[in-house]
Amino acid sequence: MRLEDLEVFRAVHETGSFQRAGQRSGLTQSAVTKVIRKLEDEFGLQLLERGSGKAALTPAGRTLYARALELGRLSAVTRHDMASEAAALRGTIRLGVVPALLNSVVSPVIADLLAGPQAVQIHLIVKPSIELVHLVEEAKLDLAVCFGVQHVQPQVARTLVGRQRYRLVVRSGHPLAGTAPGLEELSRLRWLLPDPEVTLRAEIDRMFADAGFGALDVRVETDSSATLLIPLLAKTDLVAVLAEQKHQPLSAHGLAALNVDLAALVGDAAIYYRRQTPSVGVLMNLKSRLEAQARSNFPN
C-alpha cells in the first residue's frame, strides 16, 4: 500500500467517478481502476460499490477512507516537520509575533542574535495570535510569541512568559475619555473586539454575561491586532482593548484610557511551539532569549 494509491482512492470517493479521479490525479481512467483493484486485492475486501452510477464506499471502503485522511494529514505534518529540521540546521528560524510584542520582546532579541558570531536567518511573520498559533499547528512556524488563544491542538505546547495587562481605550474626544464607567455603562457602548477564539475576548464576554448583561454591541470584530486599527479608533466612538505598553503612550495616537481595572483585562503572554520542534542549538538559544526578554517585560 502506497500513500499515492490512497490518494487515488480518496479522489475516486471525493469526485464520485473514476474519470474525474483520474483527471485530479493525473492518471488515465484505466490506471485508476488498476489502483483500486490493487488495493482491494491487497486487503481482500471490496472497497467500492460498482454499477450504482457513482463510486459509493462499502463499509470497508469507509474505514479505509478515514484512515487515508489520517495518513494524508500525518504525511503533510511529517513533511513540514522535516522541513523545520532542515531549516533549523541551515540556521533559518521561522518566527511569528503579534504586533504588540514586536518592539518590546522580539526586536531586541533578534538584534542581539544578529550581532553575535553565529550565522542565522530569521523569517519573521507579524500576525494576530490566532493566525500565529494555527501556523505553528501546521508546522509553518517554529516559534510564536503571542497572547493566549482558546483552542490549541495537542501537538502544540506553550511556555508562559508573563501576564499582559490591557486597557480599555477610546478616542481622546470621547465623552467617557478619562472617566471610570461601570459595567452597565460599558455594556451600552459600541465595541471593537477580537475574534471570539481569542482568550481575551472570551473573558470579556464572560465578564459581562456573569454580571447579567446581554451580548455586547460589537460593531467591528477583527482577526487582526487592535494595534493596527488605532487610526479607526481615533476617528470613531468605538471602545477597544489594547495591550498596555510603556513605550507607546496612547495620547500620541489620539486615544485615551478609561479608568477601569477589571480582572478580564489581564491575559497570558506565551511562546507557542510544536512538541516536535527541532532541538537545534540556534533555535533553542532563540527560544531561551525570547523567554528571558518577555519575562523582563512581564514581571510576575
Side-chain angles (χ1 to χ4, degrees):
M1 178 183 64
R2 304 183 310 157
L3 287 175
E4 292 85 353
D5 293 342
L6 292 178
E7 287 295 322
V8 173
F9 171 70
R10 283 180 53 189
V12 172
H13 172 59
E14 291 168 3
T15 63
S17 79
F18 284 66
Q19 181 181 8
R20 288 191 293 271
Q23 293 171 347
R24 179 166 126 178
S25 305
L27 300 173
T28 63
Q29 184 173 340
S30 61
V32 172
T33 301
K34 289 179 181 179
V35 169
I36 300 302
R37 285 176 178 167
K38 184 173 72 170
L39 287 171
E40 290 181 328
D41 290 342
E42 179 176 350
F43 296 115
L45 293 164
Q46 184 176 342
L47 301 174
L48 295 166
E49 300 284 0
R50 271 79 163 183
S52 60
K54 183 177 180 181
L57 296 176
T58 64
R62 288 193 292 272
T63 298
L64 182 61
Y65 178 72
R67 296 295 179 267
L69 289 176
E70 293 174 9
L71 288 171
R73 286 191 291 266
L74 180 59
S75 175
V77 169
T78 300
R79 291 180 185 277
H80 284 306
D81 284 343
M82 293 301 99
S84 296
E85 293 283 353
L89 286 173
R90 292 194 302 269
T92 301
I93 299 173
R94 301 165 305 171
L95 174 63
V97 61
V98 291
L101 300 180
L102 176 61
N103 292 328
S104 60
V105 176
V106 170
S107 292
V109 172
I110 291 179
D112 288 343
L113 195 64
L114 295 178
Q118 190 170 16
V120 62
Q121 182 182 45
I122 305 291
H123 180 61
L124 185 63
I125 295 178
V126 182
K127 290 182 178 294
S129 297
I130 292 176
E131 291 187 37
L132 293 177
V133 173
H134 286 169
L135 289 173
V136 173
E137 291 173 341
E138 296 168 0
K140 294 178 181 178
L141 277 182
D142 299 308
L143 302 170
V145 184
C146 56
F147 303 124
V149 300
Q150 283 289 92
H151 306 291
V152 180
Q153 294 182 7
Q155 71 266 28
V156 173
R158 72 174 189 170
T159 299
L160 294 178
V161 293
R163 300 282 284 168
Q164 170 69 59
R165 293 192 61 82
Y166 296 89
R167 305 291 298 276
L168 291 185
V169 301
V170 293
R171 64 179 178 85
S172 297
H174 192 285
L176 296 181
T179 67
L183 285 182
E184 183 176 1
E185 193 167 13
L186 290 172
S187 71
R188 295 196 296 266
L189 298 179
R190 299 187 302 173
W191 290 72
L192 182 155
L193 286 175
D195 188 284
E197 282 191 56
V198 176
T199 302
L200 176 66
R201 167 67 183 277
E203 290 297 324
I204 291 173
D205 287 342
R206 186 178 300 115
M207 176 181 66
F208 281 94
D210 290 346
F213 300 106
L216 293 175
D217 183 7
V218 181
R219 295 301 180 95
V220 179
E221 186 174 271
T222 177
D223 62 358
S224 180
S225 169
T227 306
L228 302 178
L229 298 174
I230 285 177
L232 174 62
L233 293 173
K235 295 178 180 179
T236 65
D237 280 338
L238 297 173
V239 57
V241 183
L242 288 184
E244 191 174 77
Q245 300 177 68
K246 295 178 181 177
H247 67 279
Q248 189 179 30
L250 294 173
S251 58
H253 299 284
L255 301 179
L258 301 181
N259 296 325
V260 294
D261 186 13
L262 304 173
L265 298 181
V266 180
D268 293 332
I271 297 177
Y272 287 84
Y273 54 95
R274 288 178 62 81
R275 298 186 190 278
Q276 294 85 11
T277 293
S279 56
V280 179
V282 64
L283 184 56
M284 293 299 100
N285 180 31
L286 175 60
K287 181 174 179 291
S288 177
R289 291 189 185 202
L290 288 169
E291 290 175 14
Q293 178 68 22
R295 289 188 172 116
S296 72
N297 280 268
F298 303 113
N300 293 325

